[in-house]
Every structure is written in C-alpha cells, then in structure tokens.
Amino acid sequence: MDKLLIQGGHRLSGDIVVSGAKNAALPILCAGLLTADTLQLSNVPQLQDVSTMLTLLRQMGLRVEQDGHSVVLNGGAIDKLEAPYEMVKTMRAAILVLGPLLARFGEAKVSLPGGCAIGSRPVDQHIKGLQAMGADITIDAGYIYAKAKRLKGARVVTDMITVTGTENLLMAATLADGETILENAAREPEVGDLARLLISMGARIEGVGTDRLVIQGVTSLHGAQHAVIADRIETGTFLCAVAATGGDVTLHNTRSNLLDAAMDKLREAGAILTSGDDWIRVQMAARPKAVSFRTTEYPGFPTDMQAQFMALNCIADGTSHVTETIFENRFMHVQELNRLGAAIDIEGNTSIIKGVPHFVGAPVMATDLRASASLVIAGLAAHGETLIERIYHLDRGYDRMEVKLSSVGAQIERVK
Ligand code: EPU
C-alpha cells in the first residue's frame, strides 16, 4: 500500500491548477444513465472515486471513453439495472444511480451503502422521495429494489438537507410525469452544476441555487456538453496548506465565490486572499490566529473542510472551538493530529484546540478522505518527517495531490 513521506517546514510558493469537483463529477456521470444520447464531459478529475463510478457505469452497459480529463458517455445500450454491494461499499456515491435508473427504465436494484467512517449516513430520504413520486420500494437482503412504471411528479420535503438525496431526486424528477417540487433542497454548488447539465440535456428545472427546486418532467433527455465546476474543497485544502506553512500560492481554474465561508475564516486566521474570475492568491507571513467555527450546509462552513482547517488551528496562536453538525463521527483525525503534537480535546461534537507552536513529524494513519488531507497539511507544517499510511483514502478524492504540492516547493513523495 502506498504511503506519503513528508519532510515538513518548507514554505509553499508558486501556482497550482485546481481540478474539477469530485462531488459534482460523480452525480454528473450518473446523469449519463438518463439518456440514450452522448454526454461529452470535460474537467472531470482523475481520482479513484471517478474510476470506481466509471467501472460501475460500464458494468451497467454505459459506453465510456476517457481521455485525461475528458469523458464521453453513451447510454444507448444499458442492460443491467443494478449497483452491487462490492461497488457501493467502496463508494457511497454509487447510490446516485438509483434515481436515474428508476426514472428511465422503471426499475433498479441498488445495494444499501451501510455505515462509514464519518457516520451512519442512511439513505432514507432518497427512498422517501422516490416513494412520494410513486415508486414501489422494498428492501431485501441489503438491497433496495425499486419499481415504477413511470414516476409521478410530487412535492417532497426532506427531513434534513441532503446533497446526494437532492441530486438523486432531481435526476429522477427530470423524467417524471408532471411537476416535482423539492423543498429543503441542498444548495451546494455541485447540485447547481448537476442541474445546469440536466437543463442542457433538455430538463426543465427552476430555482437552481435555491432550497426549492421545481422540475417539470419531460419524456426524454438528449445529449449535451458540460465542463465540471472547480473543486472548492481541493481549493480550500490548498489554501489551508499555505496558511499552515506560510508562503504565496496562486490557485487557477477555481472561484472564490464557491467557498466564501472558508475564505472569511482564513482571513480571520491572518491569510491575505485576493482573487479574480478564475484564480485565488493566498499569502501568509505570520503564525495563524486561532479561529472558531461550526460546520453547516452550504453556504455555511463545509464539513468537508473541517479537518483541514483544524490542522491550521492546531498550530495557531490561541484556542479555538470547532463544532461538527453534519456528521456524528467526523473527528477521527483528532487522535492522529495529537500524535503530531497537537493539543485537541473532544467534548461531544466540539473539538477544543489549544494552539501549539508547531507540529512534530511522526508516523500517522489516514482514516478518511478529508482526515487524510488534514494530516498532509500537518505534515507539511511539521518539524521533521511525517509518514502517512493508508493514503488510498486521499487518492479517492484528490487528483495527484502530492504532485501539485511538490510543484510549489513541498517535500512530499509517494513511497510503496
Ligand atoms: N442523511 C440522512 N438520511 C438521508 C440522507 C442524509 O439521515 O437519506 C443525513 C446524513 O447521515 C448526514 C446529513 O444527512 O448526517 C447530510 O448528509 P448528505 O446526504 O448531505 O451527505 P451525502 O450526500 O452523503 C455529500 C458529499 C460528502 C459531503 C456531504 C455534506 C458527495 C458524493 N458526497 O454526501 O462529501 O460531506 O454531502 O456536504 O457529494 C467528501 O467529499 O469527503 C464527502 C464526504
């Protein structure tokens, strides 16, 4: 298994090109199931979750051609309406095939995802929404069996805001009979990006970017071209890395208005941030200041940035409180950061972080995707050498992270 070896203490400077968003690309690839025509996608990040999704879609009979960051999909010959446990257990986002399969083919068999490292993460809201649209759903031996001659438009109010739940129901509603209203919809930019693709495929959707999506179902969707939006979490991860090590880096192919909340907190921490239409520059000269925050749904502070910002708080001047409100178990990085010399206590869903002058390099273990990113940031800022094990978590969601960091002066290498 690959590991990352980091010699800490190097300031970062230069330019990094940000990749397309993982969490936009995954639902967008599933939208290929909604049409018999061709989708031409660009700015698709090259990472493990995308490969897993493409393998699953191929198994279903979707024609897939991948050339670098371009992916061409054709759903003219889909013959297997199933997502098996082996795929769903490695990538929960596989649940996103449920809505499109049911809407276009009238049936689907999808494994229940089960729990994961960051929380129990049920999919009851996906199921509740599809049932409201007339689907007949049974759960048997760990699988969701869904059937519907044709889904019917309905008003769906989810119990909580769910990103993939909104995306699944949105895709299903595009081909339903009549009007669907999704209340309490997730406003994450990745939902908006999916909606824009669906509109260019002929879907009729209003309220994009708001918490109320109104969809008039159509009988079929056609092919389209689409460029995936920038990855705001990759962007924020690099911003935190520079804030932790000090330096001056410009990120390209990304937009500051995708991550206002995290950028405001970085400014509070002392980073100087400037931006244009498709770039953000971060400059950091002094030790960071401790900054408290709580994670919330978009446009609030993203849970997917909590671990990385916590790494910054660990070496900040002062004490901070970080409260996680989205997932019940998303503090697995805390013990590993403490192994690197941090002083973090957990009380319920809040971490109390007393800033220490610096991290001290040590062997650590990655536990989930964003936890891995926080360990990379800590390793870059640490005195000495850090060896991070189980980086397959990192490879799931970051496009060649160590290559990009090396190009701005980090001493980081992949070892076998
Ligand atoms: N929830 C339910 N029932 C449901 C759906 C969600 O109880 O049917 C709960 C979840 O357990 C959680 C909360 O609602 O406590 C929010 O979960 P949500 O459904 O929004 O999360 P998700 O759609 O499974 C996506 C991202 C995650 C990101 C979250 C929150 C994708 C593929 N994944 O997950 O990304 O953390 O939204 O923003 O879009 C990551 O990239 O590292 C990652 C975990």
Side-chain angles (χ1 to χ4, degrees), residues 20-36:
K22 167 178 84 81
N23 289 347
L26 295 174
I28 281 173
L29 293 172
C30 293
L33 296 168
L34 285 166
T35 174

Side-chain angles (χ1 to χ4, degrees), residues 22-23 93 118 121-126 160-164 303-304 326-327 330 369-370:
K22 167 178 84 81
N23 289 347
I118 61 176
R121 301 180 77 183
V123 291
D124 55 309
Q125 300 302 307
H126 304 231
M160 80 286 294
I161 299 173
T162 155
V163 175
T164 51
T303 174
D304 291 346
I326 306 292
F327 292 111
R330 212 173 194 180
L369 170 55
R370 308 305 171 185

Side-chain angles (χ1 to χ4, degrees), residues 195-208:
R196 278 184 291 278
L197 164 74
L198 294 170
I199 290 169
S200 63
M201 293 168 71
R204 294 174 56 201
I205 304 169
E206 279 170 28
V208 177

Side-chain angles (χ1 to χ4, degrees), residues 22-24 26-27 49 91-93 95-96 116 118-128 158-167 186 188 190 232-233 296-298 302-304 325-328 330 368-370 397:
K22 167 178 84 81
N23 289 347
L26 295 174
D49 274 8
M91 187 192 55
R92 302 177 50 84
I95 190 74
L96 284 163
C116 84
I118 61 176
S120 66
R121 301 180 77 183
V123 291
D124 55 309
Q125 300 302 307
H126 304 231
I127 293 172
K128 170 181 142 172
T158 46
D159 296 358
M160 80 286 294
I161 299 173
T162 155
V163 175
T164 51
T166 302
E167 292 163 345
E188 268 64 8
E190 294 75 23
R232 64 194 164 99
I233 307 301
T296 59
E297 294 87 0
Y298 191 84
T303 174
D304 291 346
T325 75
I326 306 292
F327 292 111
E328 66 271 21
R330 212 173 194 180
D368 70 67
L369 170 55
R370 308 305 171 185

Side-chain angles (χ1 to χ4, degrees), residues 128-129 132-133 152-158 166 169-170 172-174 176-185 204-207 210-217:
K128 170 181 142 172
M133 295 167 77
K152 290 187 188 57
R155 180 163 174 270
V156 180
V157 189
T158 46
T166 302
L169 299 177
L170 174 63
T174 58
D177 183 17
E179 179 178 272
T180 299
I181 301 177
L182 301 179
E183 305 273 11
N184 207 20
R204 294 174 56 201
I205 304 169
E206 279 170 28
T210 75
D211 62 359
R212 186 170 193 268
L213 294 170
V214 181
I215 305 108
Q216 310 294 337

Side-chain angles (χ1 to χ4, degrees), residues 254-334:
T254 188
R255 290 194 342 242
S256 61
N257 62 358
L258 296 173
L259 68 165
D260 288 315
M263 291 205 13
D264 285 349
K265 291 292 170 188
L266 278 164
R267 286 194 179 96
E268 264 184 61
I272 298 168
L273 295 167
T274 45
S275 60
D277 280 352
D278 63 351
W279 58 268
I280 303 172
R281 179 178 180 192
V282 52
Q283 294 164 282
M284 189 74 169
R287 182 180 177 195
K289 295 193 256 308
V291 175
S292 296
F293 61 89
R294 54 192 293 129
T295 62
T296 59
E297 294 87 0
Y298 191 84
F301 192 99
T303 174
D304 291 346
M305 280 301 303
Q306 180 255 104
Q308 301 91 310
F309 211 106
M310 194 188 292
L312 185 62
N313 272 336
C314 290
I315 49 166
D317 183 12
T319 297
S320 56
H321 289 69
V322 169
T323 303
E324 171 61 48
T325 75
I326 306 292
F327 292 111
E328 66 271 21
N329 191 28
R330 212 173 194 180
F331 281 147
M332 306 247 289
H333 41 286
V334 164

